[in-house]
Amino acid sequence: MVSAYATTAEFNTYVDGSLTTPTDIARLLTRASELMDDTIVAQFDAAVTTGLPTDSQTALVMRDATCAQVEFWVRAVSEDHDIEGLHSQQVSMQGLSTMTAPEVAPRAMRILRIGGMRNLTRTSTTASLFFGREDG
């Protein structure tokens, strides 16, 4: 079992008070962390006891991507979208055809990509430029 990459307090800071904290925030952060683990391709060193990144830049990337995913579920599609496998499906109705929302939040994917977690070879330069601040 992976520990969540973000805490409730970090999520609240990330959304800057623009959302009411869901009552099941701890569970949502854990599920979003599992999804981030499934999404990244880069490897990172993790603490044996928690499974959390030991590198501070990697920890910031994973924290922000996790928060972005939960924000996406709360604002746009709900976690049911992921549970029921409704992501990235083509839907047609009365001649209109469209795609459902993606599984991974676009903002979370962008954070992972900029932070180098979507690359097989990760350099800390890009991540440190983007995530070089501790306050998110």
Side-chain angles (χ1 to χ4, degrees), residues 16 19 21 28 32 43 46-48 55 59 61 76 78 109 118 128:
D16 197 25
L19 288 174
T21 305
L28 289 172
Q43 295 181 353
V48 175
D55 175 72
V61 170
S78 90
M109 191 65 89
R118 294 284 298 153
S128 65

Side-chain angles (χ1 to χ4, degrees), residues 55-65 111 131-136:
D55 175 72
S56 62
Q57 296 305 316
T58 301
L60 292 174
V61 170
M62 297 305 288
R63 178 200 68 194
D64 286 357
I111 290 167
F131 296 96
R133 59 199 192 293
E134 291 294 324
D135 63 352

Side-chain angles (χ1 to χ4, degrees), residues 49-127:
T49 55
T50 63
L52 296 174
T54 56
D55 175 72
S56 62
Q57 296 305 316
T58 301
L60 292 174
V61 170
M62 297 305 288
R63 178 200 68 194
D64 286 357
T66 297
C67 290
Q69 184 65 41
V70 173
E71 180 184 28
F72 179 67
W73 284 337
V74 172
R75 287 190 193 276
V77 296
S78 90
E79 185 198 14
D80 293 344
H81 174 79
D82 182 47
I83 293 169
E84 295 170 359
L86 299 176
H87 54 82
S88 304
Q89 301 291 317
Q90 185 159 355
V91 178
S92 298
M93 184 171 64
Q94 295 182 351
L96 175 65
S97 182
T98 189
M99 295 292 288
T100 59
E103 178 179 25
V104 179
R107 184 174 290 156
M109 191 65 89
R110 184 171 52 251
I111 290 167
L112 293 172
R113 192 172 42 254
I114 291 170
M117 300 307 292
R118 294 284 298 153
N119 309 325
L120 289 175
T121 55
R122 181 174 184 269
T123 62
S124 60
T125 306
T126 302

